[in-house]
Amino acid sequence: MKPRLSREAFEEIVERSFETLPSKFRDKIDNVQIVVEDYPDEEALRGSRSSKYELLGLYQGIPLNRRGTWYGASPTLPDKITLYQKNIEMACRTEGEIEHRIAEVLFHEIGHYFGMNEREIRAAMKDFEL
């Protein structure tokens, strides 16, 4: 049987994972909302090659390296990182795997926030001990 966590327990792991980021990265993250949803909606899937049941996380916003001097000149909605709880749980066999996968997905999406592409994120993740 696949492990399932309460939303509160899942979000606590997300928070703990975020806190493990080195401060040199964590301190540069600004105007980003991190949320947990069960599954991606149609808008989130637009442009994705993943199905509703495959997508584990998504970054939506303007990457840090693409923000010009205009960014924040007027009220700016926060960027959004979404982790899809049901999909992450379905990909894991134990609660320990869920914790590891949450950190992995969160760090992956934060890589997109910093403007990294998939190849750069994979290379960086090899150097980052989860």
Side-chain angles (χ1 to χ4, degrees), residues 11-12 28-29 32-33 36 41 64 94 97 114 117 130:
E11 290 174 345
E12 285 176 14
K28 290 181 181 175
I29 297 173
V32 178
Q33 176 186 25
V36 176
D41 60 19
L64 193 61
T94 67
E97 280 185 30
F114 282 109
N117 63 35
L130 294 174

Side-chain angles (χ1 to χ4, degrees), residues 30-32 59-68 70-72 76-80 112-115:
D30 183 42
N31 202 32
V32 178
Y59 166 73
Q60 296 169 293
I62 300 170
L64 193 61
N65 65 347
R66 290 197 178 147
R67 295 178 182 182
W70 53 267
Y71 185 85
T76 306
L77 290 173
D79 290 6
K80 183 177 174 184
H112 287 307
Y113 165 81
F114 282 109

Side-chain angles (χ1 to χ4, degrees), residues 78-90:
D79 290 6
K80 183 177 174 184
I81 291 175
T82 308
L83 280 73
Y84 299 108
Q85 181 174 350
K86 301 289 186 197
N87 292 345
I88 290 172
E89 289 174 341
M90 287 302 295

Side-chain angles (χ1 to χ4, degrees), residues 2-3 6-7 15-16 23 27 30 33-34 43 53 61-62 66-67 80 85-86 89 91 93 96 121 127 130:
K2 297 275 185 186
S6 68
R7 180 59 54 93
E15 272 187 53
R16 282 197 315 266
S23 60
D27 293 346
D30 183 42
Q33 176 186 25
I34 300 172
E43 180 184 336
Y53 303 104
I62 300 170
R66 290 197 178 147
R67 295 178 182 182
K80 183 177 174 184
Q85 181 174 350
K86 301 289 186 197
E89 289 174 341
R93 291 186 299 267
I121 291 171
D127 296 334
L130 294 174

Side-chain angles (χ1 to χ4, degrees), residues 31-62:
N31 202 32
V32 178
Q33 176 186 25
I34 300 172
V35 299
V36 176
E37 295 177 3
D38 286 339
Y39 297 104
D41 60 19
E42 290 301 315
E43 180 184 336
L45 290 171
R46 199 170 296 128
S48 172
R49 289 178 245 155
S50 298
S51 79
K52 175 181 180 175
Y53 303 104
E54 296 171 323
L55 192 62
L56 304 181
L58 182 66
Y59 166 73
Q60 296 169 293
I62 300 170

